[in-house]
Amino acid sequence: MSKGRKIMITMKDIVREGNPILRKVTNDVAVPPSEEDQQILLNMLQFLKNSQDPEIAKRYKLRPGVGLSANQIGLNKRMFAAYLTDDKGRYHEYTLINPKIISHSVNMIYLPQGEGCLSVDRQVPGFVPRYERIKVSAYDLKGTKLEIKLKGYASIVVQHEIDHLNGIMFYDHINKEDPFKLPENIPVESLY
Ligand code: SB7
Ligand code: NI
């Protein structure tokens, strides 16, 4: 993939569960990122925007997505894109390189409807407990170091993506005996 080349990510590019790349811990990306890595991240972000545009999504049969990690398109690279409106109506757009959770709340939250994944072509019922608040360090497209504080839905999405970069799937967090059982001794609240 080279600079300026028109590439559109579609569902055929999305790696599905069972592919071992989804279970690997991804490799750090060089900082500042190469032109190629920058372009890949921008293409990933554009996929998310396209997937949330009803007309484009219909035309190209895209499943709507709020996040996409590089290993989900088969690249062993520690970077992801996210594009979402949070539970407070605030809009978030991220293209993050070598992200790392540097601190988090004790309190946890979960989406009452559970989580889904573009790499998982089935419904997996159950609660996925996530930290309510996280502080993430990462680099942006220019190679500038960032520290981002997130809470609520944006925090859930970014934890889902950082999990991907560590080879973890959302259902790994679901209680095996009772998928709707939440961890004890830790405050866990529904997001809605
Ligand atoms: C629900 C959905 C996502 C994150 C958190 C809750 C993202 C779904 C799209 N992805 O598969 C991104 O990895
Ligand atoms: Ni996912």
Side-chain angles (χ1 to χ4, degrees):
M1 219 183 284
S2 67
K3 195 188 176 188
R5 189 148 352 127
K6 279 187 198 134
I7 289 229
M8 184 182 176
I9 298 172
T10 62
M11 296 309 292
K12 70 175 170 16
D13 301 304
I14 308 285
V15 162
R16 307 305 158 90
E17 61 180 333
N19 187 318
I21 193 168
L22 292 174
R23 288 305 195 176
K24 276 194 194 134
V25 176
T26 50
N27 292 332
D28 277 341
V29 172
V31 178
S34 64
E35 289 287 344
E36 187 186 8
D37 286 343
Q38 292 176 50
Q39 197 54 60
I40 293 166
L41 266 174
L42 289 172
N43 286 332
M44 289 164 57
L45 180 65
Q46 191 59 52
F47 167 83
L48 298 176
K49 292 180 177 179
N50 291 343
S51 81
Q52 292 176 37
D53 178 313
E55 277 166 22
I56 302 177
K58 196 177 170 197
R59 183 167 344 124
Y60 294 98
K61 294 190 170 68
L62 306 179
R63 249 184 80 187
V66 288
L68 184 67
S69 298
N71 50 347
Q72 288 184 280
I73 54 167
L75 303 174
N76 184 347
K77 290 175 185 280
R78 199 165 192 81
M79 58 188 199
F80 74 83
Y83 185 72
L84 64 121
T85 306
D86 71 17
D87 42 308
K88 299 251 163 68
R90 285 191 204 106
Y91 141 94
H92 298 250
E93 174 175 319
Y94 303 112
T95 45
L96 297 183
I97 292 162
N98 302 339
K100 196 178 165 170
I101 295 175
I102 51 176
S103 63
H104 63 77
S105 59
V106 172
N107 286 21
M108 301 187 88
I109 51 173
Y110 61 91
L111 284 173
Q113 71 272 32
E115 295 189 14
C117 182
L118 292 166
S119 299
V120 179
D121 292 325
R122 61 194 170 102
Q123 303 273 100
V124 185
F127 295 145
V128 180
R130 303 284 190 187
Y131 303 121
E132 181 183 21
R133 292 165 184 268
I134 55 173
K135 193 156 124 189
V136 175
S137 78
Y139 296 88
D140 68 9
L141 287 171
K142 293 176 181 164
T144 305
K145 192 171 186 191
L146 309 173
E147 269 187 25
I148 305 170
K149 281 182 180 172
L150 297 165
K151 59 180 176 179
Y153 185 52
S155 171
I156 290 173
V157 172
V158 167
Q159 287 172 76
H160 179 117
E161 301 316 320
I162 292 177
D163 270 351
H164 273 308
L165 301 178
N166 291 326
I168 297 166
M169 303 294 284
F170 72 92
Y171 47 73
D172 298 348
H173 298 289
I174 297 176
N175 186 292
K176 301 288 174 293
E177 283 81 51
D178 174 359
F180 298 100
K181 194 172 140 92
L182 293 162
E184 281 154 29
N185 312 318
I186 302 167
V188 194
E189 267 187 25
S190 175
L191 179 61
Y192 301 110

